[in-house]
Amino acid sequence: MAEIIQKDGTWVFDGDALRLTPGRDKNVGLFRKTLGELVVPLGALAGVSFEQGRRSGRLRLRLRDGADPLLHATGGRLTEGDDPYQLAVESDRYGVAEYFVDEVRNALLLDQVPADPVDEYLLPGPAVPLSVSAGDGTASFDGERVRLEWNWKTEDAKSAAGARTLAVTDLVGVEWRPSAGLENGYIRFSVRNAPTKAPPKYDPNSVELWGFKKDPLMALIAAAVQARLPHPAAEPDVLPEQPEPTRQLAAAAEDGHDALLRRLRELGELHRDGVLTDDEFAMAKQAVLKRM
């Protein structure tokens, strides 16, 4: 077993999994403290590294692509203080950190753990229920439904319809972005068959974030929802084979479509050769397009 205890947190490796416990140091972010202890199976790891500095170093875990819904939901946008897969190491513990890295790397080699992406989540995501108030609203998630409630700072156009309840089965995605510079952040839930280009400020399926302390906690909601959505790398559902009459109709429609495309090309050639005037070409083209 390998263990390293720091103000930033404690990492323990027992040969099968890593147990990551956040510390109580002021540099540990609110997100990391709220997320709590993480257990990372060895099979979810792609690598581990240690970087030395003059006063402190940093341990970093690299997970296999697609193994963690949290990393997918946050897209690498967590700060160092919030990132649970980084640990600040004091200079007098460099030797311990190097030993820790060697133990994990040896286990990866012995178990022949590949670094390839995975097509299923190997970590469960944050525990539910969850509720976070930040920006212009409150997002709650019980494992099956997301509820969005608004506060006095919400735009009237968004809050007029009242609180929103979204079933996980109706969602196709969730995205979290922190504030950056003068640009506000958000958490946005993508609803099936209801795409929108509205800014988060006006989108009733989004909570706008303004860069305050609790903004990163919305990433917990995003990760918990992501863990319950189909994995991005999973094979799409295969449609059932169509009965013979349906296939025949589809083939006939395809043949007719190809014939109309050929007709359009012929009309274009006649127009270029001067056989058809501009008006004649426009009328003939419009007639073909209507048939399509």
Side-chain angles (χ1 to χ4, degrees), residues 6-289:
Q6 294 291 276
K7 294 179 181 178
D8 200 32
T10 299
W11 285 13
V12 178
F13 177 56
D14 63 7
D16 296 318
L18 292 97
R19 191 175 298 274
L20 316 178
T21 307
R24 298 181 179 179
D25 189 71
K26 63 180 181 180
N27 293 322
V28 178
L30 176 63
F31 173 86
R32 195 163 145 212
K33 291 178 179 177
T34 306
L35 178 62
E37 185 177 83
L38 277 179
V39 177
V40 183
L42 184 65
L45 282 184
V48 59
S49 63
F50 175 57
E51 304 163 4
Q52 292 189 15
R54 290 185 178 181
R55 296 183 179 180
S56 66
R58 191 164 291 273
L59 273 170
R60 298 179 190 270
L61 294 180
R62 184 166 58 88
L63 272 62
R64 298 169 66 183
D65 288 345
D68 184 15
L70 170 61
L71 291 181
H72 182 85
T74 56
R77 300 182 185 94
L78 290 173
T79 63
E80 286 190 346
D82 288 323
D83 190 342
Y85 301 118
Q86 298 189 34
L87 182 72
V89 179
E90 298 166 17
S91 58
D92 62 348
R93 291 293 182 271
Y94 282 2
V96 178
E98 290 170 346
Y99 171 76
F100 189 93
V101 167
D102 288 341
E103 288 293 294
V104 175
R105 286 178 176 171
N106 289 337
L108 289 171
L109 288 173
L110 287 173
D111 283 25
Q112 298 183 340
V113 177
D116 301 344
V118 296
D119 58 6
E120 62 178 344
Y121 292 124
L122 302 181
L123 281 83
V128 294
L130 286 166
S131 184
V132 177
S133 295
D136 67 352
T138 298
S140 305
F141 182 52
D142 62 5
E144 295 182 356
R145 297 175 186 81
V146 174
R147 183 168 177 81
L148 303 177
E149 300 174 272
W150 314 115
N151 56 39
W152 63 275
K153 295 169 283 189
T154 310
E155 285 289 327
D156 292 343
K158 184 159 91 171
S159 63
R164 300 273 291 168
T165 299
L166 308 172
V168 171
T169 52
D170 292 332
L171 299 179
V172 294
V174 57
E175 183 183 15
W176 171 83
R177 286 183 179 272
S179 300
L182 298 177
E183 186 176 352
N184 291 336
Y186 59 85
I187 181 171
R188 187 195 298 272
F189 301 92
S190 299
V191 180
R192 193 184 315 277
N193 300 324
T196 179
K197 294 183 179 180
K201 184 176 184 178
Y202 302 105
D203 180 8
N205 297 322
S206 300
V207 175
E208 187 180 36
L209 305 174
W210 300 321
F212 296 128
K213 185 177 180 180
K214 289 187 177 181
D215 283 11
L217 297 184
M218 282 293 183
L220 292 173
I221 301 282
V225 172
Q226 185 65 55
R228 288 158 177 82
L229 295 177
H231 192 280
E235 291 291 333
D237 293 335
V238 179
L239 293 175
E241 186 177 356
Q242 295 177 340
E244 183 62 28
T246 303
R247 288 201 301 271
Q248 291 175 351
L249 287 173
E254 186 174 351
D255 290 343
H257 188 269
D258 290 343
L260 292 173
L261 287 177
R262 287 195 298 271
R263 181 58 179 160
L264 279 177
R265 286 194 291 270
E266 292 170 359
L267 290 173
E269 291 172 359
L270 293 172
H271 181 237
R272 285 193 297 272
D273 294 341
V275 177
L276 295 177
T277 65
D278 291 346
D279 291 341
E280 290 171 338
F281 172 67
M283 292 176 61
K285 178 181 175 182
Q286 188 63 32
V288 174
L289 291 176

